[in-house]
Amino acid sequence: MLISKIELNNFRQFKGNQTIDFSTSPERNITLILGDNTSGKTTLLQSVLWCFYEKAHFKTREELLNKLVAREMNEVNNEKTVSVTVSIIHKNYEYTIQREQAFIFSNNEVKQERGSRLTISYKDKDGQTEFIPERNVRDTVNDILPEDLSSYFLYDTERFGNITDKKDVTDAVKGLLGLTVLENTLEHIGRETRKDTVLGKFSSNLNLGNEKKSKNALVDAQRAEENKEQLENRLKKVNEQIEYYEERKEELQGILRNMKSVSELQKEKEKFERNLNIVSNDLENDKKLFFRNFNRNLYSFFSLPLIKKAKLKLVDADVSDRGIKDMNANSIKHIFERGVCVCGTRIKGNKIAHEHLQKELEYLPPKSVGLLINDFQSRLDAYKTLGETYYEQLNQSYRNILSNKKRVSDLNEEIEVLSKEIERNRESASYELELKDVNQKLMGFIQTRDQIIANIAVEEHKIKSKKEEYEQSIAESKKNKEIKLYMAYAKEIYNWVEKTYKKREKDIKNELEEKVNEYFSKIYHGQRKVEINDKYRVKLITLENDEELITDESQGLETVKNFSFLAGIVDLAKNKLKDSKNDTELEIESEAFPLILDAPFSNADERHVSSISKVLPEVAEQLILIVMRKDWNYAEKEMSNKVGKKYYLDKQSEVYTIIKEEVV
Amino acid sequence: MNIEQEEKIKLNQKKLSMMKLKIIHLEKKYVKTKFKTRSEVIDQIRKIIIDEAKKNI
């Protein structure tokens, strides 16, 4: 960033429009501004701070407006503006930053309007002027020169104090040399254990339980498949047995039917057996129907006894139905308010109609609960009817079950009687006994078959549900996999930043100490050296007979130390810090800023002014010196050949200074 | 399950470089202007990583 121009308009002692064009030439990079005491040297530096950050160290804000201009204001000439416009070159773009503050004359005094206005424009590549949107102007200023670094580049000697005591020096050095960027990146990516970090947020999106769940679901589904297969094999064998015994049964029945002595008995028995089959099927169907009905209206089954009890309780209740159904007291109140009934009768002034409605209120809730009870009873009746029908259906099913059970039992007895008779016949006895055995085995196998079929259905259901569970978990596992990939990238970036940060921090501390000592030795003529600790705090060490001592510092020495440090960080900041390990194009670049120095030599002696003057133009890209003539005299010898522009603050009075350009 | 014990995930170096560039660019802007809140920057970094990781290169 280079400052090319500043325009002051009624700013403090700079009445009217006054301009300074700064030198942007690399060879003659000094702009010299000379001024006597109270001519406005510090005001000039403050004007840049005010323009950029609305920050100016004056006693009162009203003093921004030139006093002569303020004095000229009256009821007619009642509006004036203070403005500072700074033109800069930043990243190859020409920016114009302007801050305006309006003042008005009201009630015989000059008042500052609330809030100043900051506007920023720049010239695009085609030379067209574009304005930064108002919401972004503050961000843009900070992007150009961060406020927390401003005191190091807009250097006010009187206010700067001792660099050793400056609390923000660590942040300033880190900010300037790109370490804050890395430090913030580390803090933002963070650790998985910290929720409000990139890794923490990724981690909280992971569902690690799902991985186990999906594996378990798959194992369960596979196990169910195996079970189903085993059951199907068993079913096949059981069916073979059933088929065999059914064939044998038919053979035996045929034999018995063909035996003249028991043929009729056997035919009779088979007739009963057919009936038994039919009735047994009916019995099964009745059971199913009963359970289906029971489940369908379970609520009625349990509520009917309660409904009956409730009805008994309400037998003696006053269920007056004189009120209108579904009408409530609020409706009547509304009719009163609107003054006309739903039938069109006017209520207002109509005593009879009014009384009718008043009476109606007596029958309605909350005054009367008769209507509510009546309504409740109607509902109870409806539920009771529904419940009773349901009970009747259940009863019917139950009666059918009992009846069929009895028929099954009777038929079995009939069959048993006939079987015994056939057994008594010597010729048919062995066949009948075998037939009985076959029937028993058949029944056993059929029961086993039904059980296997039911078990297969259970396994099939398990397979289906576990497969669904597995699919769902797999989908979530895929998501986990993605998140883990993101986390791997985040960790890799974290490790890279951490490594880069540690290396740079160490390098910067060493390089800075080296640079500051280099400049210190150039500026200071004595046996001292500079030490910089991990917090970038500067300490002066005196070398006495090879012994290191800490001694008191004069104001002059403080100035030398400050400038050595400033020169050191400006020099380092000019260098681009490259990612040496990966040798990529990735750069954590620092920026070069202009140095605007107000009264830099005020505490230094002639010899030190001369040496400071040698160093600063070399290290800074642009140097703006605001000094008194007497101080300049010591620096002139070293700096005059680098001065590109020269101005004099010509003090006309305590409240008026004219900026005059002088020949270089 | 310990994530650290997971098998090494292969990372695409081009994507990684792009992520680093974009994140540092974002952080540089954040350090100067504080144009976003901390939480917004964290979400933005997550988005950079997700978007770059998903790209077909």
Side-chain angles (χ1 to χ4, degrees):
Chain A
M1 167 197 162
L2 294 173
I3 302 182
S4 52
K5 190 162 80 172
I6 186 165
E7 290 173 71
L8 306 169
N9 178 34
N10 295 330
F11 189 85
R12 304 269 290 173
Q13 56 264 69
F14 300 103
K15 188 189 169 199
N17 277 310
Q18 302 202 49
T19 305
I20 298 175
D21 287 307
F22 297 100
S23 172
T24 54
S25 148
E27 293 80 25
R28 289 180 168 268
N29 62 347
I30 299 175
T31 299
L32 179 67
I33 299 159
L34 298 168
D36 301 323
N37 278 334
T38 67
S39 62
K41 296 192 300 299
T42 302
T43 303
L44 207 53
L45 184 90
Q46 296 293 331
S47 72
V48 182
L49 285 170
W50 182 75
C51 176
F52 279 28
Y53 316 110
E54 204 180 9
K55 185 172 81 175
H57 303 289
F58 302 125
K59 280 177 189 168
T60 58
R61 290 171 67 85
E62 280 76 11
E63 285 185 18
L64 283 177
L65 179 64
N66 180 269
K67 286 200 182 301
L68 296 175
V69 175
R71 230 176 274 160
E72 287 163 9
M73 288 175 78
N74 52 43
E75 297 296 344
V76 180
N77 179 21
N78 60 358
E79 273 187 34
K80 286 288 171 194
T81 304
V82 167
S83 69
V84 175
T85 310
V86 180
S87 301
I88 61 159
I89 300 160
H90 176 65
K91 292 179 181 171
N92 297 323
Y93 282 90
E94 287 177 36
Y95 283 85
T96 303
I97 304 166
Q98 184 182 62
R99 189 177 291 279
E100 286 181 313
Q101 175 65 60
F103 288 83
I104 54 159
F105 187 86
S106 170
N107 296 327
N108 277 327
E109 60 173 338
V110 176
K111 288 176 184 170
Q112 181 176 306
E113 289 270 53
R114 183 174 287 188
S116 63
R117 184 165 172 261
L118 177 67
T119 52
I120 305 176
S121 62
Y122 65 97
K123 278 187 184 168
D124 68 11
K125 281 167 188 165
D126 303 324
Q128 299 290 316
T129 300
E130 297 283 342
F131 279 86
I132 302 282
E134 200 178 332
R135 63 179 182 280
N136 295 339
V137 288
R138 284 189 62 166
D139 288 349
T140 307
V141 166
N142 272 303
D143 187 40
I144 292 166
L145 175 59
E147 188 177 344
D148 47 12
L149 295 181
S150 61
S151 67
Y152 291 86
F153 296 95
L154 307 176
Y155 185 91
D156 182 342
T157 309
E158 282 175 24
R159 289 185 175 85
F160 189 82
N162 192 330
I163 191 96
T164 309
D165 303 328
K166 280 185 87 70
K167 284 177 184 165
D168 64 351
V169 73
T170 315
D171 292 337
V173 172
K174 284 183 174 180
L176 253 178
L177 303 177
L179 286 176
T180 309
V181 171
L182 299 176
E183 201 170 54
N184 286 349
T185 312
L186 288 176
E187 212 255 322
H188 290 151
I189 295 177
R191 291 278 173 208
E192 287 158 57
T193 43
R194 273 198 59 194
K195 275 185 179 176
D196 57 342
T197 62
V198 172
L199 274 168
K201 284 194 170 184
F202 275 140
S203 183
S204 63
N205 288 340
L206 275 177
N207 193 344
L208 295 174
N210 269 329
E211 302 223 341
K212 199 177 175 187
K213 206 171 147 189
S214 71
K215 277 180 190 166
N216 287 344
L218 186 63
V219 169
D220 288 348
Q222 286 168 344
R223 199 173 290 150
E225 287 273 10
E226 284 169 13
N227 290 344
K228 189 189 160 198
E229 206 177 308
Q230 283 174 4
L231 286 167
E232 281 172 343
N233 286 337
R234 267 190 74 197
L235 182 64
K236 204 176 164 187
K237 284 176 186 167
V238 169
N239 279 333
E240 281 170 6
Q241 292 291 315
I242 290 170
E243 205 176 323
Y244 167 78
Y245 284 113
E246 275 179 343
E247 277 175 15
R248 183 62 188 151
K249 184 183 171 182
E250 275 180 24
E251 275 174 25
L252 290 168
Q253 283 175 333
I255 291 168
L256 289 169
R257 270 197 307 273
N258 291 330
M259 276 184 190
K260 280 187 182 172
S261 53
V262 291
S263 176
E264 287 307 312
L265 288 172
Q266 178 59 26
K267 283 177 187 169
E268 185 73 9
K269 194 177 72 166
E270 283 180 25
K271 194 179 137 191
F272 282 124
E273 280 173 347
R274 281 195 294 275
N275 280 342
L276 179 64
N277 265 340
I278 293 166
V279 176
S280 295
N281 282 337
D282 285 349
L283 179 62
E284 283 307 307
N285 288 336
D286 287 337
K287 282 180 183 172
K288 283 178 189 168
L289 187 69
F290 179 84
F291 288 119
R292 200 162 56 229
N293 279 339
F294 180 79
N295 287 333
R296 200 176 54 200
N297 211 347
L298 206 61
Y299 167 77
S300 287
F301 183 85
F302 292 108
S303 64
L304 191 63
L306 297 172
I307 289 168
K308 284 179 178 172
K309 276 186 185 175
K311 275 197 76 68
L312 275 174
K313 285 264 179 197
L314 294 171
V315 161
D316 299 328
D318 180 8
V319 292
S320 161
D321 61 350
R322 281 173 291 179
I324 301 164
K325 197 169 174 358
D326 293 333
M327 177 71 85
N328 61 45
N330 283 338
S331 310
I332 302 289
K333 281 176 189 165
H334 178 69
I335 292 171
F336 278 132
E337 278 167 17
R338 76 173 192 172
V340 180
C341 185
V342 285
C343 62
T345 308
R346 288 190 67 79
I347 311 294
K348 272 188 185 167
N350 187 339
K351 198 181 169 192
I352 297 167
H354 198 276
E355 279 173 2
H356 270 296
L357 284 173
Q358 200 63 48
K359 203 173 179 184
E360 192 62 35
L361 274 176
E362 299 294 322
Y363 308 138
L364 295 172
K367 284 201 172 181
S368 165
V369 291
L371 264 181
L372 289 178
I373 294 173
N374 212 10
D375 183 46
F376 182 64
Q377 280 186 331
S378 304
R379 288 180 194 209
L380 285 183
D381 288 340
Y383 288 136
K384 192 167 162 275
T385 310
L386 190 74
E388 281 171 348
T389 313
Y390 163 73
Y391 255 75
E392 188 48 46
Q393 282 173 349
L394 277 185
N395 267 333
Q396 187 55 50
S397 295
Y398 190 61
R399 279 197 293 272
N400 288 346
I401 290 168
L402 291 179
S403 154
N404 281 331
K405 267 193 163 182
K406 191 173 180 311
R407 282 193 69 198
V408 166
S409 171
D410 292 347
L411 285 167
N412 273 328
E413 274 179 26
E414 294 284 354
I415 292 165
E416 187 57 29
V417 170
L418 291 167
S419 178
K420 291 274 181 205
E421 279 218 30
I422 295 169
E423 273 178 46
R424 275 196 287 272
N425 186 303
R426 203 178 286 174
E427 189 190 9
S428 60
S430 63
Y431 295 110
E432 179 59 22
L433 282 172
E434 191 189 343
L435 185 59
K436 263 189 167 177
D437 183 50
V438 166
N439 271 336
Q440 263 191 350
K441 281 180 175 158
L442 256 179
M443 271 176 67
F445 282 120
I446 287 168
Q447 271 183 0
T448 308
R449 182 191 65 186
D450 291 347
Q451 190 57 52
I452 292 172
I453 289 170
N455 288 346
I456 287 174
V458 169
E459 295 302 328
E460 279 175 340
H461 177 75
K462 203 185 277 182
I463 291 164
K464 195 181 168 222
S465 68
K466 290 291 168 186
K467 272 190 175 173
E468 280 172 2
E469 197 178 305
Y470 173 71
E471 294 295 332
Q472 198 184 337
S473 303
I474 280 293
E476 284 174 15
S477 289
K478 275 184 186 170
K479 199 178 151 200
N480 277 352
K481 212 173 167 185
E482 275 180 24
I483 294 169
K484 281 184 191 172
L485 177 69
Y486 305 150
M487 287 176 79
Y489 275 114
K491 281 180 192 171
E492 191 68 21
I493 295 164
Y494 184 94
N495 292 339
W496 168 74
V497 175
E498 190 180 44
K499 208 170 175 179
T500 312
Y501 179 83
K502 279 181 182 167
K503 190 178 179 306
R504 285 185 183 174
E505 194 185 33
K506 197 178 163 198
D507 290 351
I508 282 168
K509 193 240 161 196
N510 292 338
E511 280 178 43
L512 188 63
E513 195 171 79
E514 203 178 298
K515 289 270 179 205
V516 174
N517 267 309
E518 183 188 322
Y519 288 114
F520 187 76
S521 64
K522 280 184 184 173
I523 299 171
Y524 183 66
H525 304 278
Q527 295 296 309
R528 289 181 204 245
K529 69 167 192 172
V530 177
E531 250 185 33
I532 294 172
N533 69 9
D534 292 341
K535 301 273 179 200
Y536 305 100
R537 295 289 174 91
V538 189
K539 198 165 68 174
L540 278 186
I541 306 288
T542 305
L543 296 170
E544 192 69 44
N545 297 327
D546 291 337
E547 203 181 338
E548 293 186 349
L549 303 167
I550 297 172
T551 50
D552 290 342
E553 294 172 21
S554 66
Q555 276 198 319
L557 189 57
E558 190 180 292
T559 304
V560 171
K561 186 177 72 177
N562 288 355
F563 278 118
S564 303
F565 187 82
L566 212 54
I569 55 172
V570 169
D571 196 358
L572 265 192
K574 279 200 300 186
N575 298 320
K576 289 181 177 179
L577 306 167
K578 286 192 178 176
D579 177 6
S580 53
K581 183 183 171 286
N582 292 325
D583 199 27
T584 62
E585 290 301 309
L586 194 61
E587 290 172 352
I588 313 282
E589 62 181 41
S590 314
E591 271 182 51
F593 296 108
L595 265 180
I596 307 179
L597 307 176
D598 174 29
F601 312 127
S602 53
N603 297 320
D605 59 27
E606 188 180 339
R607 206 169 159 199
H608 286 121
V609 168
S610 171
S611 46
I612 291 169
S613 306
K614 270 187 199 167
V615 168
L616 291 180
E618 282 173 19
V619 76
E621 297 248 307
Q622 184 183 33
L623 189 62
I624 297 166
L625 280 178
I626 312 168
V627 290
M628 287 204 284
R629 269 200 199 276
K630 71 172 180 64
D631 290 335
W632 172 244
N633 291 337
Y634 302 129
E636 191 172 10
K637 192 180 159 195
E638 300 296 340
M639 287 182 159
S640 60
N641 61 340
K642 287 181 182 164
V643 175
K645 290 272 184 184
K646 190 176 174 187
Y647 290 88
Y648 174 62
L649 304 181
D650 190 0
K651 183 178 168 183
Q652 305 292 305
S653 70
E654 290 301 322
V655 289
Y656 185 29
T657 292
I658 299 172
I659 301 170
K660 288 182 176 169
E661 188 170 2
E662 291 188 353
V663 179
V664 176
Chain B
M1 190 180 295
N2 189 347
I3 303 160
E4 301 295 340
Q5 287 170 356
E6 286 288 295
E7 60 179 296
K8 187 110 178 136
I9 299 168
K10 283 184 182 173
L11 302 179
N12 181 313
Q13 291 306 312
K14 273 188 184 175
K15 290 179 180 182
L16 189 64
S17 293
M18 194 50 74
M19 286 175 197
K20 287 177 187 175
L21 261 177
K22 287 187 175 177
I23 291 169
I24 294 295
H25 179 76
L26 174 79
E27 291 285 4
K28 277 164 79 177
K29 204 171 169 195
Y30 171 75
V31 83
K32 283 185 177 180
T33 65
K34 302 280 185 292
F35 72 116
K36 283 178 190 294
T37 62
R38 183 181 181 278
S39 171
E40 284 171 339
V41 170
I42 285 167
D43 285 342
Q44 193 75 33
I45 295 174
R46 287 176 70 221
K47 194 175 179 304
I48 289 170
I49 293 172
I50 293 168
D51 290 350
E52 285 301 323
K54 279 183 178 172
K55 269 184 190 170
N56 289 321
I57 294 180

